[in-house]
Amino acid sequence: MSNLTLDILMITYNRPEYTRLSLSRLLESCDDSMRVWLWHNGDHAETLDVVRSYENHPRFHRFHHSSENGLVREPTNWLFKNADSDLLSVIADDCVVSEGWGQKLSKAHYDEPKFGVLACWHFPVEDFDMQLAEPKIRSFTGGHKVMLNPWVQGSGVVMKRQCIDHLGLLPPKDKGFTSYCMRIAAAGWVNGWYLPLIPIDHMDDPRSVNTMLRSDADLAEHLPLSAQFRGVRSINEWTAHLRKIARALHTTPSDPRQYFGLRKKIRRAIMRLKRQELLY
């Protein structure tokens, strides 16, 4: 790798309260080897004003405004096509990074060529169970440890440009960053959550101190897309779902071959039987 530059994408839309906190904290966390690229979807005036108020920050590198909602694939590919760094990152506008997050993950990538996508932990720290995760934890060059998984979340990640050089941009057929991560793992790179955990505050988790989701009425007004897709209607239901995801990640297979070809079909059949309570 030629330098220590980390190019970071943040996508904003219509949540000025979250954007003000997430963007300011992201810029504060950057050293002079890191640059922030900002893609704003839509024309929400207050959010756009928040974004533009940071344009003169020395770490604010480039801004793009799309009147239409480009969702995730188009902004991500904008970064992939235009950034010239060795390492790339995505931070969502509903996530608040912790101090040193980018420096820690960048160093791990420079120490270990096998790493593809490394992630911060975007659940509360208490959701992590070291004993349960132990079978998936591996040690690597430089003393770095990772809880392996073929995919990670789409925010709070650092990845090697080599992955994009090998696999290309996010294609329309992919279901998002998760599918792209799985292809990276299948190509031979190592993905997972860095240990010791690097927390990132996911503000759409009702347990976050910065959340706007404090009641069922709040949830109805600011319903996250993932909650909407799952038909979630209450704070308790949404919190239980997030806890369930965190728990499941401790035990999902870390071998990417389990998710492709014949093994993928077998796993789907087993999951179907479990849902029908025919297999225990």
Side-chain angles (χ1 to χ4, degrees):
M1 292 186 175
S2 60
N3 57 60
L4 289 173
T5 300
L6 171 62
D7 280 316
I8 307 159
L9 171 68
M10 177 173 282
I11 307 167
T12 57
Y13 182 47
N14 66 352
R15 295 193 283 187
E17 300 87 356
Y18 279 2
T19 298
R20 185 174 291 106
L21 183 55
S22 60
L23 181 54
S24 62
R25 189 71 59 83
L26 174 59
L27 291 167
E28 289 169 5
S29 76
C30 292
D31 57 32
D32 59 7
S33 71
M34 302 158 69
R35 306 182 298 193
V36 174
W37 301 55
L38 199 297
W39 175 295
H40 181 77
N41 278 320
D43 293 310
H44 191 265
E46 187 177 356
T47 306
L48 193 54
D49 286 344
V50 170
V51 170
R52 290 195 178 279
S53 72
Y54 290 98
E55 279 191 280
N56 291 327
H57 191 284
R59 303 279 75 80
F60 194 116
H61 178 64
R62 191 164 167 184
F63 174 70
H64 180 88
H65 178 202
S66 172
S67 295
E68 298 181 356
N69 189 348
L71 297 176
V72 174
R73 187 178 65 85
E74 188 176 352
T76 303
N77 282 340
W78 172 67
L79 178 76
F80 286 1
K81 285 188 291 186
N82 293 289
D84 58 1
S85 61
D86 294 325
L87 300 173
L88 303 173
S89 175
V90 179
I91 303 292
D93 63 350
D94 62 356
C95 289
V96 180
V97 299
S98 55
E99 188 65 30
W101 72 278
Q103 292 84 350
K104 292 175 185 176
L105 294 183
S106 295
K107 186 177 188 309
H109 271 289
Y110 279 90
D111 288 346
E112 176 53 79
K114 295 178 183 177
F115 289 150
V117 186
L118 298 179
C120 302
W121 182 249
H122 78 313
F123 303 94
V125 173
E126 58 266 26
D127 280 357
F128 186 78
D129 185 328
M130 181 65 75
Q131 184 174 357
L132 186 63
E134 196 277 333
K136 293 181 65 174
I137 296 174
R138 299 289 184 275
S139 297
F140 295 90
T141 304
H144 302 290
K145 290 187 177 181
V146 173
M147 184 178 84
L148 306 180
N149 208 56
W151 73 89
V152 292
Q153 75 276 358
S155 174
V157 299
V158 174
M159 64 184 295
K160 281 186 174 67
R161 162 157 294 285
Q162 291 172 347
C163 299
I164 302 158
D165 293 340
H166 181 74
L167 295 172
L169 304 178
L170 270 65
K173 66 178 181 179
D174 269 14
K175 296 181 178 179
F177 192 70
T178 295
S179 298
Y180 195 74
C181 280
M182 293 180 71
R183 295 204 291 126
I184 289 172
W189 280 286
V190 172
N191 299 338
W193 287 272
Y194 188 84
L195 298 172
L197 294 175
I198 302 174
I200 186 169
D201 179 18
H202 180 210
M203 293 184 283
D204 269 344
D205 188 322
R207 296 168 291 175
S208 165
V209 297
N210 296 305
T211 190
M212 294 192 300
L213 308 180
R214 302 190 181 281
S215 68
D216 291 349
D218 293 338
L219 184 69
E221 183 178 357
H222 306 288
L223 191 65
L225 280 176
S226 51
Q228 180 180 335
F229 293 153
R230 291 170 175 81
V232 170
R233 291 293 178 266
S234 73
I235 289 289
N236 289 341
E237 189 178 353
W238 179 230
T239 302
H241 174 72
L242 294 173
R243 284 198 180 104
K244 182 178 179 181
I245 292 176
R247 189 75 175 176
L249 292 173
H250 289 71
T251 56
T252 49
S254 58
D255 184 348
R257 292 174 297 180
Q258 294 283 347
Y259 300 90
F260 294 91
L262 179 59
R263 294 189 186 187
K264 181 179 180 180
K265 295 178 182 178
I266 293 172
R267 279 183 53 75
R268 282 182 173 174
I270 292 173
M271 291 171 66
R272 192 159 54 244
L273 290 171
K274 284 183 176 180
R275 285 196 296 271
Q276 296 171 356
E277 297 183 350
L278 299 175
L279 188 66
Y280 299 91

